[in-house]
Structures are given as structure tokens and as C-alpha cells.
Amino acid sequence: MFGYAGKMLEVNLSTQKIKTRKLEPDLARDYIGGIGFNARILYDEIPAGADPLGPDNVLVFSVGCLVGTPFPTASRMEVSAKSPASNGFGSSNSGAFLGLRLKCAGYDGMIIKGQAQKPVYLLIEEDTIEIKEASFIWGKDAWESIDLLKARHYGAEIMLIGQAGENLVRFASIENGYYDGFGRTGMGAVMGSKKLKAVVVRGSKPIVPADPQGVLELSAKGQKLIKSASSYQAFCAYGTMNATIPYGGFNALSVHNYSRGTLPDWKQKAGRQIVDIYGSRHIACQSCIIACGHLAEINEGKYAGTLVKDMEITPTVSYSSNVGLSTEASIKSSELCQRYGIDMSSSGSVIAFAMELYQKGIINKDDVGYELAFGDDDAAFALLRDISLRQGIGDILAEGVKRAAEHWPGADDYAIHVKGVEVPMIDPRGRWSTWTLGMLTNIRGGDHLRCRNPVENLRYNENLYHYQKERFGFKKPMYDRLDMPENLKSAAIDLESDTVDIAIMSKWAEDLINLYNSVGICIRPPIMETIGPTLLAEIYTCMTGIPMSPDELMMGSERAWNLMKLFNIRHGEVAGDSKFPRRFYRELQSGNIVDEDKVQAVLEQYWQARGWDPGTGHPLPETEKRLGI
């Protein structure tokens, strides 16, 4: 089988049985790879009502089908299971070098079932697969555990959980080496429930494309396109930190649990210039030509000696804005989250939630054991420790804001989540866009990484067509180069009014990002602006030998998205769950509140664009038939 490894590994930890599954050509063609494979497997193999932390949950890791090629940014891998945070489809994505190593070991993915009786780790070395005893690393943080595992398995790539995953914190992450991770929706808690501490991978098998020369030529074309993106140079220099100042200017930050829209010293605390101050070098994933990651180094003061991959917008907003920490304390928070193995977005949100409850008098020092205040790094890190170890009040907060709020009367007003997943950034009262609507339509809950206008323009925030549209703000050459079907592009982007239709663009953006997460490439703006289904269909065909048109490739992505929606419906999601937190509808932010009726109208337009019932948000029978689900 060209392009793919041709099989998936299945491990049942309850029975200690290990076997392989042949990768069927129909699965490869219909679901592509990565999240597409995960969607099909989870839908087929997790029964309705399964406990996310019980033996019936299935944890699936799948590599994007372009991983192993020189196509720019082809490094990504998706992990999915039923989420302990949302009780729906949980999924997270990570790059670096793990996916490549797993594919070179001979596997397009792994399916983990059951639960071990005692802590174990999985060793994959080419064709040798072993379930090994892990008591020597259980209870240790992720970095300490990696050190010990690397001493035994030199040169291996390692994904693992820290103490948060061991203690079933519902927003625990799976760490990917020292500095990367699968952060959102609590996949680390699922891994911890299976008592699987780590997966250690070594592999050196070749990945054989159907048309090697075609793959090389199209990879070079992809590099040229990405380098021509309007955002390329800025992202090479500063990565996602380019966006911190615009969102502060829009009053759209998550300051102090979304009680404010910005901070007076935000530019000094979190502007992109901090990369120049603390960044010692750039970090790139496999096949990447952007290198948007930064190795941050603190050489003096309270946190001297800190060396960590950081200075990306999400952890910066989570800890500098939401929790209110200083720049250096925010950098330190990234190290602690990586060591504990805990989602930087949700942990910052939960800490900010607790700090506001303390500020409002809903909880007090007797409840916590120490004082809480926004900007207090010692208190924030003590609470992060207590959450990760489920100590004291941390045991309640480890359940996430939705469940924790049930413990204190009045706390629900301050629980900022959608469908049980904490909202990490972008206050819709400050900026309404395709991206903000996406926090309601996202199959994994309150999250910003599965729906973004590929040509979002952060130079503008004024809006004459509030809720229905957002500003386009580019000249016609940007419109012309955008790889979308012309009839859809003209419906989504109106050059005369200079606007983007949010409902139509949301559907396209979700399918496009889902395609990226299937083929295994990154979602950074230089890619979204320049790489679409036309080029990806060409390289997919060259890689696999399976003829694929752009429309067929997008249909595969859409098919997987609909399957994930059906998974959520099977596990209890209803239309009324697609709501923002009450605060956004009730409390003014910079003179604005979110109009619930107008949001609902756009949401129903989005459902129609998807071929879903506008009243229930359920895929219509004719949509399921068209997609062959």
C-alpha cells in the first residue's frame, strides 16, 4: 500500500493482547487519515453511554497521511477518545516528530482498549511490541519520566502523561516529548484511566510513495506557496504572538475570567517583543519551514534557569491575561503545565474561575488553604499543583469549571465553558467573527482551533453587519488565490460589500481544518492562506496512488465532521448545548453584550449550510446519504 504504513496497532490493556489491523483501502479513501480515521473508529467502537474514564472508552492515535513526506508542516498526529470533559468527541492534535516515528515503525495509528491492572508503558520498536511495567515512572512528572525512559530507550520518541493524567484530571493532556502535547479535551485523563503512563516509539522503515518525483515537486510547490503568504515573514519571526496586541486592542481577551477585555499594560506584558527579550532560538516540527515555536529562557530573577518552549498566544493569554501573571511567571507556567501534563488553556481558565470565586466571596481561605488573587503567581502555582495532584480544593477543580461550579451556589455564573470545555480566549463581546462562532459549532466544545476564517483580517474590527458577517479587508488578488470552489467562494466572500458570510465560511473553515488534521499538516495562517484541497488532492494521489479530486478530498473531511457530530448526538448532545457562557449574554464588556437571538439565527444558518436540521442541529438523512455515512 503506497503512502500509508498499511496497518494499525491494536492493544487491549485488559487482556494484554496485541494485534494489528490491516488498513482497508475504503477507510483510507473515505477518511484519509488522522482525525478521519479516529472519527470512524470511535463512532463504530464506543457504545452509547460509555464512561469516558472506564474500560469501554477507546483511545485512538492516527498519523496524518502526508507525514513522512517533505510537504511543508507534514508532522501532525491526532488522538481521540470520548472526552471526560464534554462527554462527547474528544480530540487533540500535535506535531514534532512522534507521528513520523510511529509511521516509520510500520503503523498508521494505534487503538488502545481496556484498562491495565497496574501502571504500564507501551514499547514499539519496529515489529517488536511490548507492554512493560511502569511503576518506576508512575507518580513522576513528564520531564522526569522522559529522562528515565530515554536512558532505557535511547533515540526514541515518547508521549506520556504526568501526574494530572494519573490523577484523572478531566483536562489532563498527553505530552509529546518535553515541549509539545495533545492538550485539549482531557485525553491525558483517558490515558491515565487505562494506567498507560507512556508510549515509546522507535522506527526506521521507509515510507514508499506511489510517485516519488511527484511528491517532491508538489512539496516544493507547497513551500513556494507558503513562503508567498502575506503572514509568512511575521510568523517566521514571532509565530502566534503576532495576534496578542490586536486582540488586546479589540477588548477581546479573557482577562480575569472574562471580567475585563484587556489590561492597561498588555502590550508590555505580552506583545510580540517578548520573543526578542526571552527567545533564545526558534523551534520547528518535522518538515516545517516556518519554525513558529520559541525556546524561552529566563536568566535572572525569581525564575532564573527556566528553559521551555513557550511564547505562543494560547498559553500567554491563558496565564498572562486570564490569571493575570507577569511575563516571566507566565513562561514558568508553561513548564509546570508540561511537567504535570495538564492543558494550558483549561488549567488557566480553572485557576481564573477559582480566583474570581475567591474575589466574590463564594470560596474563602478556609476552602483553599491560602489566599487567591489575580496576578499572584505563588497562589496560581500552588493551585495548579493541588489540581494536578487532586489535593484539597484541587480535587473539586480537577473536574473542570462546569462540574466544579455545582459545588458552590452562585458559582455557575462564573463558569466559562461551552459543552464542558473551558473557553480559552477571544471574548465574542469584543470581536465577533467566524472564529468566535466556531466555539459554538466546534465538535469538541469551547475551543478556538477547529474553525477559523482562512483569511481572517486582524487589521479591522468594525462591523456594519454584526453577527451575519465580518470584514474581508483584502484586495482582489487575495480573493483570487484562495483555493475554494468558485461558487462557494463568491457566496462566502462579497467583494462589493467587503465582507465574509460567517455561517458559510464557518462550514468551509471547519472542513478545511479537518482536512489538514486528516493529512497531517499545520493550521497556521501561512498555510491556511495558501494551501487548499487542489494541491492536497494532487499530492495525496502521488503519495498513495489513489486517484483523488479536490471535491472528493473535501467530502472525506466533511464526512468525518458529520460522523463526529453524530457521535456527540449519540452521547447526549442537544441543540441547546450550543450556547455561550451566561456572562457573555448578561454582562457588558466595553459597552457590548452578545445578543443571544442573533447568535442563534447565525447558528441556524450554519446548520442549514451544513445540511443539518435548522431546529435540532442534527444531520439530515439526505446529508448522511450524500456522504455515505
Side-chain angles (χ1 to χ4, degrees), residues 324-337:
L325 302 188
S326 69
T327 305
E328 293 189 355
S330 178
I331 292 171
K332 183 65 177 182
S333 73
S334 290
E335 178 192 325
L336 295 175
C337 288

Side-chain angles (χ1 to χ4, degrees), residues 79 91-94 170-175 180-188 341-346 444:
V79 56
S91 207
S92 194
N93 192 277
S94 188
R170 288 184 185 268
F171 44 95
S173 58
I174 298 173
E175 296 305 301
D180 294 282
F182 302 88
R184 305 240 65 197
T185 70
M187 296 298 94
I342 196 167
D343 178 15
M344 296 179 188
S345 296
S346 284
R444 62 182 191 172

Side-chain angles (χ1 to χ4, degrees), residues 3 56 75 80 106 133 160 194 196 199 203 245 248 258 277 290 419 437 469 491 493 498 554 621:
D56 289 337
S75 67
S80 308
E133 188 269 337
L160 75 169
K194 297 182 179 302
L196 180 60
V199 179
I245 296 307
Y258 289 90
I277 298 169
I290 300 172
K419 302 171 189 172
L437 178 68
K469 300 180 180 183
I493 301 173
D498 194 29
M554 289 304 293

Side-chain angles (χ1 to χ4, degrees), residues 5 48 63 144 178 206 224 262 358 376 379 450 487 522 528 547 565:
V63 183
E144 293 173 312
Y178 293 104
K224 186 176 180 180
T262 193
Y358 194 96
D376 185 337
R450 301 287 156 131
N487 63 333
C522 190
M528 294 196 69
K565 180 67 174 181

Side-chain angles (χ1 to χ4, degrees), residues 325-375:
L325 302 188
S326 69
T327 305
E328 293 189 355
S330 178
I331 292 171
K332 183 65 177 182
S333 73
S334 290
E335 178 192 325
L336 295 175
C337 288
Q338 289 164 9
R339 284 182 176 274
Y340 289 130
I342 196 167
D343 178 15
M344 296 179 188
S345 296
S346 284
S347 62
S349 296
V350 171
I351 291 168
F353 164 73
M355 286 178 168
E356 185 166 20
L357 295 188
Y358 194 96
Q359 187 181 71
K360 300 289 185 183
I362 294 173
I363 60 176
N364 56 44
K365 188 174 180 180
D366 289 338
D367 297 312
V368 180
Y370 40 88
E371 294 182 353
L372 292 178
F374 289 109

Side-chain angles (χ1 to χ4, degrees), residues 197-220:
K197 177 67 175 182
V199 179
V200 179
V201 186
R202 287 197 296 202
S204 58
K205 295 177 181 178
I207 299 165
V208 182
D211 178 1
Q213 187 60 35
V215 169
L216 289 173
E217 290 173 1
L218 292 168
S219 296

Side-chain angles (χ1 to χ4, degrees), residues 19 40 44 128 131 148 196 201 221 225 228 263-264 308 326 360 375 392 446 473 486 495 513 548 583:
K19 63 182 180 178
R40 184 75 261 177
D44 289 344
T128 301
I131 301 170
L148 291 168
L196 180 60
V201 186
K221 183 178 180 180
L225 284 170
S228 73
L263 291 166
V308 64
S326 69
K360 300 289 185 183
E486 190 55 42
L495 291 175
I513 290 173
M548 184 73 72
R583 167 165 269 171

Side-chain angles (χ1 to χ4, degrees), residues 382-604:
L383 194 56
L384 181 62
R385 175 202 63 218
D386 288 345
I387 292 168
S388 299
L389 302 181
R390 280 192 176 264
Q391 296 178 163
I393 198 172
D395 190 33
I396 297 172
L397 295 172
E399 294 292 297
V401 298
K402 179 183 178 181
R403 293 172 178 83
E406 298 170 1
H407 287 261
W408 302 293
D412 192 52
D413 289 341
Y414 308 102
I416 308 299
H417 70 91
V418 175
K419 302 171 189 172
V421 177
E422 289 77 18
V423 178
M425 55 182 285
I426 313 173
D427 190 329
R429 294 170 296 179
R431 180 173 175 83
W432 180 258
S433 65
T434 303
W435 212 353
T436 41
L437 178 68
M439 286 187 276
L440 297 183
T441 63
N442 192 335
I443 52 89
R444 62 182 191 172
D447 176 72
H448 65 300
L449 291 176
R450 301 287 156 131
C451 180
R452 183 186 183 184
N453 178 357
V455 285
E456 182 182 31
N457 197 325
L458 292 180
R459 293 177 298 168
Y460 306 105
N461 199 38
E462 77 277 7
N463 197 334
L464 300 176
Y465 308 88
H466 208 40
Y467 295 102
Q468 299 289 328
K469 300 180 180 183
E470 64 179 310
R471 178 83 180 269
F472 178 57
F474 292 104
K475 295 182 179 179
K476 193 169 183 296
M478 178 69 83
Y479 174 93
D480 290 338
R481 76 181 298 184
L482 191 62
D483 185 14
M484 293 175 68
E486 190 55 42
N487 63 333
L488 180 61
K489 182 159 56 172
S490 62
I493 301 173
D494 186 332
L495 291 175
E496 186 174 341
S497 65
D498 194 29
T499 57
V500 174
D501 185 289
I502 287 175
I504 295 173
M505 185 58 84
S506 291
K507 192 266 184 188
W508 171 260
E510 287 170 345
D511 288 346
L512 182 64
I513 290 173
N514 213 45
L515 175 58
Y516 291 171
N517 290 337
S518 298
V519 300
I521 65 172
C522 190
I523 64 169
R524 296 301 192 219
I527 293 92
M528 294 196 69
E529 181 186 326
T530 57
I531 304 298
T534 301
L535 181 59
L536 292 176
E538 288 182 81
I539 194 168
Y540 179 88
T541 300
C542 287
M543 184 66 173
T544 66
I546 300 172
M548 184 73 72
S549 71
D551 288 346
E552 288 172 322
L553 203 62
M554 289 304 293
M555 184 176 285
S557 174
E558 184 184 3
R559 183 179 295 116
W561 189 271
N562 277 262
L563 205 57
M564 291 184 280
K565 180 67 174 181
L566 290 168
F567 180 97
N568 286 347
I569 292 166
R570 175 192 286 170
H571 291 269
E573 182 181 302
V574 297
D577 293 334
S578 297
K579 298 287 185 184
F580 284 117
R582 290 190 200 130
R583 167 165 269 171
F584 295 172
Y585 299 122
R586 297 178 180 179
E587 294 183 20
L588 287 171
Q589 180 63 265
S590 304
N592 299 316
I593 58 170
V594 173
D595 188 312
E596 188 168 0
D597 292 336
K598 291 180 179 179
V599 170
Q600 185 64 29
V602 179
L603 185 61
E604 290 172 8

